[in-house]
Amino acid sequence: MPSSRATTAPLVVLLVCAPADLPAAAVVAQRLRADGMQALVAGELSGPGGGSPRALREALGRAQVVLCCLSRRSWDAGQLVQPLAGVLELLPLIPDAGRALLTLRLAAVDPPEALQRRPAVDLFSASGYRQLLEALRANVAGVFLGKP
């Protein structure tokens, strides 16, 4: 007998971070998966070193939410490191079909100009992960705040 409960596809979330922040992003992705989401980490997309341009384009095409994870290690000589810089360059070139972009601050840092108008969640705060889940669930409901 078919179930009376409607099934919905899990929210596809792509986490993009500096290579030095891959362990932290992997932990966040693991928690998001435990909460029923399909979480991908850009640096793990295509094996060791991951984040090839092709893999990033494909992941961006599928992602409903892109989380740009920022820390002090996100910059080198004042420039965003890869794959963060690459994703911000690719985003305008890929049809978004309602994709949301959210800044996930792993530490108290200022976002780059391209992310300053986007909603941000401070993962390092006591309620950071709860706030992240609320923001992601708001996206599912179609009320993601701060999306231009």
Side-chain angles (χ1 to χ4, degrees):
M1 174 181 255
S3 171
S4 62
R5 292 189 324 181
T7 58
T8 58
L11 183 68
V12 180
V13 179
L14 176 63
L15 291 92
V16 184
C17 65
D21 290 326
L22 278 173
V27 169
V28 173
Q30 183 178 18
R31 288 188 71 184
L32 292 173
R33 287 183 203 113
D35 285 317
M37 297 177 205
Q38 182 182 354
L40 311 167
V41 179
E44 299 174 347
L45 291 174
S46 58
S52 72
R54 181 178 180 190
L56 279 175
R57 281 191 304 274
E58 291 173 2
L60 283 169
R62 293 187 346 202
Q64 295 164 286
V65 177
V66 176
L67 292 179
C68 289
C69 304
L70 299 179
S71 75
R72 289 173 189 85
R73 297 176 287 217
S74 300
W75 284 268
D76 183 27
Q79 300 294 316
L80 274 178
V81 298
Q82 293 296 340
L84 284 163
V87 165
L88 291 177
E89 290 173 9
L90 282 173
L91 276 173
L93 305 175
I94 298 172
D96 77 356
R99 180 185 325 106
L101 180 61
L102 177 69
T103 301
L104 182 62
R105 294 183 343 143
L106 305 176
V109 295
D110 292 327
E113 187 175 330
L115 295 173
Q116 287 179 355
R117 293 184 48 225
R118 300 296 182 154
V121 173
D122 293 338
L123 189 63
F124 58 88
S125 73
S127 61
Y129 186 75
R130 180 184 53 76
Q131 291 174 1
L132 174 61
L133 286 179
E134 289 172 3
L136 293 172
R137 290 181 179 136
N139 181 66
V140 171
V143 293
F144 197 75
L145 300 176
K147 186 173 183 212

